[in-house]
Structures are given as structure tokens and as C-alpha cells.
Amino acid sequence: MTSLLSLAIAMFAGLMMTRAVKRLHLPDVTAYLVAGVLIGPCCIGALHIPGIGFASYDQLENIGLICDVALGFIAFSIGNEFRLSQLKETGRQAFIVGVIQAVVATLLVDAALLAFHFIKPEALTVPAAITLGAIAAATAPAATLMVVRQYKAKGPLTDLLLPIVALDDAVGLVLFAVSFGIAKALGSGVVDVFTIVVNPIIEILGSLLLGALAGFGLTHIEKLFNSNTNRLAMTISFVFLTVALAMMSIQIGPVTVGFSSLLVCMMLGCVFCNLCPLSEEIMANSDRWTAPLLVLFFVISGAELELGVFQQISSVIIGLVYILSRSLGKYLGARESAKLAGCDKNVVDYLGITLLPQAGVALGMCVTASTLPEDGALIRNIVLFAVLIYELVGPSMTKWALTKAGDIQPKSQEVLERRERKLAEAAAKK
């Protein structure tokens, strides 16, 4: 009962925090993370009141299944952004920019953190630096889409931004699979071609194949149902199924056949959205169903933040190096690749700024990275620290960039006057 009460309070705290920060115009994910910090072991949880907050990190590990499932739905939603019909016009440019800027961000973060390692090796290991570099590639689709929809942005930058955000995370997942394989090999001291090259390649290809098969299966099984409720239930069950299957690991001699739940579920969503004619409606219903689950995911992620790590000046410096190098990598990578792809000048100038937000997928990578014996806690806290910073300033910078590019138009005087009349009429009725 205590765990159930803690989850209920976690969801309640996350939702109420969105109301508390509403006047600050902060994104909901930031409110969820802050709420998690407040009810986590470092704050209210430290009071050890039964059911009120999370008293220990062991308690958070016991409810880790919620995070695994939530990650599956996040990746499933990302796959939905790869609709071929929407990529016909901007597909070439989106592919060039999406791949290059993600790789540049990873390389710059790797270079900066490896340089920090050689200056102060006791504060940051090579495996941690490589893993953080891969995580840097990911952005936050939810934050970007929220700004676009809230301000009804339209134009060349917006048309290119949306597929890039989806492709960006896909590239990030691939980079993370390879980099994390190298990090695990370096951490264990077992450096061989199977650990560094073969196993990551098998994991990537196996995950994509498993996700594609699940997508084909879901598309054909959906045809057996006429009820939207049953279709939604079947979709949800397939996401659960793919997450469970992705947890399998088979050892064949020196080769480990493993899967990435993020890649598997992303491929599931990609195949399903392109083959099923009713996928848009089903995916929209799925997003509404999973909203409470994602609230819990972000609140729990915030609760996992170990504030004690930031008492060390070296950890703060690592976080700042990560943020600055990633921001520079995103901006320069997007600008130069946009020039290469022949994009509009406004796209070249402002696209990189819109790619700064970072949240869901990066936090999902942290869950995997936390399995590194010596570096997991540091990696998780550095990324959570960066996510808090990026989510505070990222959406505002995205709005500014879209406005400067002309994709967000100021409301006309007629619209403003109409709104004022409606507010006045509503006040008069009261």
C-alpha cells in the first residue's frame, strides 16, 4: 500500500507543480522534474513519512518497471514522426541535417569531456565521457512540438524542424548503442572486437528487425477489430510486449544478442504509422492514455537526482562543460549541414537554436547508462542537471528562433480586440 500511495502522491505532486509554475511559462516536464526532486530522498523523502515521497533510492529501483514501460511509449511516439507521406518534400534535407548535427554534437561533447578527463582523471572516466557524448545527440520532441503547436508556427523552419527532431533522436539512439557498448567494454577491461563492434551492431540491427516484425504484426492484428477501444488496447499491449521482448539477452559464444527497448519501440511505431490507415487516430488515443504514465516517469526521474553529487565543484564543472559543448555542437552542426543541404537562410541561422531542448529520450538513455557500475550515478545526475537547465531556457529560445525566422506571426490587432471583447462579456455575465 505504501508504494501505491507514493505513486499517487508523486503524480499529484507533478500535476500540482505545473499549476505552481504556470505564471513562469515553464514546460510541464520541468515541473515534473522539480516535483520529483522535492519528494525524493534528498528532500521530503528524507523525513521518512510512510507513503509521503520516496525515502530511498532502493524504493525508486523497485518501481523501475514504470520507467521501462514509459520509455517504450516515448519511443513508440517518436516512431510516429517518420511518416513517409510527410517526408517526401523535406526528407532529403531533414536526413542530412538530422544526422550531421547529431554526430557533431556528440563529437564536440566527447572532445570537451575527454579533455576534462585528461586534466582531472579522478573526476570523470573515459567511459562516462563517451556515454555523455552519445546522450548529447538527443533532443526533446515534446518540448519542441509544444512550442510549435502553442504558437501555431508555420513556415520553412517549422516544416524542416519536426522531422529533424524525430530523426535526431533515432540517430541519437544508434550513437548511444555504439558508444555505450564501447563504454561498457572499457569499464570492464574486456576490449575486443565483439564487445566494441559486433555486439552493438547486432543490438541495433536486431532491435530494428524485432520492432519491424512487431509493427507488421500489430498492423495485421488491428484489422480484426472494429472497436476503437479494442484497437487502442491492442496497441498498448503490443508496446508492453515489445518492451518485454527487448529485455531478452541471448549469449551465443562471444556474441551477445541483446535489444534496445528504445529502438525496438521506435521501429514498432514507424512501421505501424506507415502501414495502418487508422494509425493517426490510434496513436493520438495512445498518447492521451499514456499521459499519466509519463508524468510518473518524469517525476521518478527527478526523484532519482542525487543532489549530493553537486556539492563537488568538479561535478558542476562537468555539467557546465556538457551543456556548453552540446549547445555549440547543435548550433554549428545544424548551421553547416543546413548550408550543405541548400536550406533557406532563416533555417541556416535559427535551426540550431530550436534543437537545444533535451528531456525524454535523454532521460531514457540515463536509465540504461545507470547500469555502469562506477559511472552510472554521475552520468544520470549530469544529464538531469542539464535537462533542468535546457527545459528552463530551451522552449523560450525555440519560440524566439521561430519568431525571428518568421514562422511565428504576432497576433493581429483584430484578434486581440476580439479576445478583449470576449473576456469583457464573460466578466459581465458573472
Side-chain angles (χ1 to χ4, degrees):
M1 186 183 97
T2 302
S3 297
L4 186 59
L5 180 60
S6 296
L7 290 176
I9 291 177
M11 185 179 296
F12 178 78
L15 293 172
M16 293 306 295
M17 186 58 68
T18 63
R19 300 301 89 193
V21 303
K22 184 178 180 180
R23 292 184 179 274
L24 300 177
H25 304 288
L26 298 176
D28 286 349
V29 66
T30 303
Y32 300 149
L33 289 168
V34 172
V37 172
L38 293 178
I39 66 173
C42 293
C43 295
I44 295 176
L47 301 176
H48 296 284
I49 303 174
I52 308 300
F54 300 103
S56 68
Y57 293 102
D58 290 336
Q59 184 181 358
L60 290 169
E61 289 181 5
N62 292 334
I63 56 176
L65 181 62
I66 293 175
C67 292
D68 293 333
V69 175
L71 286 174
F73 281 103
I74 291 172
F76 183 63
S77 297
I78 292 173
N80 187 41
E81 298 298 326
F82 288 93
R83 292 183 180 273
L84 297 179
S85 59
Q86 299 174 359
L87 295 177
K88 288 181 179 179
E89 297 182 1
T90 60
R92 173 183 166 275
Q93 292 179 335
F95 180 81
I96 293 174
V97 177
V99 173
I100 293 179
Q101 58 83 26
V103 172
V104 170
T106 294
L107 293 177
L108 274 184
V109 174
D110 279 341
L113 293 180
L114 287 174
F116 184 88
H117 162 75
F118 287 113
I119 296 173
K120 197 167 184 179
E122 70 277 7
L124 182 69
T125 66
V126 173
I130 294 174
T131 303
L132 285 168
I135 294 174
T139 58
T144 304
L145 290 174
M146 179 185 67
V147 174
V148 169
R149 291 172 181 173
Q150 179 179 353
Y151 297 100
K152 298 179 174 60
K154 293 181 180 180
L157 178 56
T158 303
D159 292 340
L160 194 61
L161 172 62
L162 297 180
I164 285 178
V165 168
L167 180 62
D168 181 86
D169 285 326
V171 176
L173 293 174
V174 174
L175 291 174
F176 180 77
V178 176
S179 297
F180 189 62
I182 297 174
K184 286 192 296 184
L186 294 176
S188 63
V190 181
V191 182
D192 57 66
V193 67
F194 289 101
T195 304
I196 296 178
V197 179
V198 177
N199 286 344
I201 291 176
I202 291 177
E203 179 175 328
I204 294 169
L205 296 179
S207 298
L208 294 178
L209 177 60
L210 179 59
L213 292 175
F216 280 113
L218 175 59
T219 301
H220 290 291
I221 293 177
E222 290 282 0
K223 299 176 182 179
L224 302 177
F225 301 94
N226 296 320
S227 167
N228 288 335
T229 301
N230 288 338
R231 290 196 185 103
L232 175 61
M234 181 57 65
T235 302
I236 293 171
S237 69
F238 256 77
V239 176
F240 275 85
L241 175 63
T242 51
V243 170
L245 292 176
M247 293 180 180
M248 296 187 306
S249 181
I250 305 172
Q251 190 72 34
I252 304 176
V255 178
T256 301
V257 181
F259 304 95
S260 165
S261 61
L262 293 173
L263 281 176
V264 172
C265 293
M266 185 193 70
M267 195 63 179
L268 168 68
C270 178
V271 173
F272 177 66
C273 77
N274 282 289
L275 295 183
C276 180
L278 300 175
S279 61
E280 287 193 38
E281 180 181 357
I282 294 173
M283 296 288 271
N285 291 334
S286 174
D287 290 341
R288 287 191 289 270
W289 181 89
T290 58
L293 185 64
L294 299 183
V295 172
L296 281 176
F297 169 71
F298 287 117
V299 173
I300 292 172
S301 297
E304 291 176 339
L305 178 61
E306 298 179 14
L307 299 181
V309 173
F310 298 103
Q311 294 176 354
Q312 301 175 359
I313 187 63
S314 59
S315 296
V316 176
I317 294 174
I318 294 171
L320 293 176
V321 170
Y322 173 87
I323 292 172
L324 293 175
S325 57
R326 177 183 179 271
S327 300
L328 182 63
K330 286 288 181 181
Y331 179 75
L332 292 179
R335 188 185 69 179
E336 297 306 317
S337 58
K339 287 181 182 178
L340 179 64
C343 297
D344 181 80
K345 184 179 184 301
N346 283 334
V347 174
V348 172
D349 292 339
Y350 300 110
L351 176 61
I353 299 174
T354 65
L355 298 174
L356 295 183
Q358 187 175 46
V361 175
L363 293 174
M365 293 175 180
C366 283
V367 175
T368 303
S370 64
T371 59
L372 286 176
E374 298 180 359
D375 306 306
L378 177 63
I379 292 172
R380 182 178 66 246
N381 284 281
I382 293 299
V383 175
L384 284 173
F385 170 73
V387 165
L388 283 170
I389 301 300
Y390 277 125
E391 287 303 292
L392 285 171
V393 302
S396 297
M397 295 187 69
T398 298
K399 174 189 173 184
W400 177 83
L402 290 171
T403 302
K404 295 292 289 184
D407 284 26
I408 294 179
Q409 299 293 333
K411 291 183 173 62
S412 65
Q413 186 63 31
E414 180 183 352
V415 172
L416 295 175
E417 291 176 354
R418 189 186 309 129
R419 177 180 294 180
E420 290 180 359
R421 285 198 300 270
K422 289 183 178 180
L423 290 174
E425 292 172 359
K429 290 180 181 179
K430 292 182 179 179

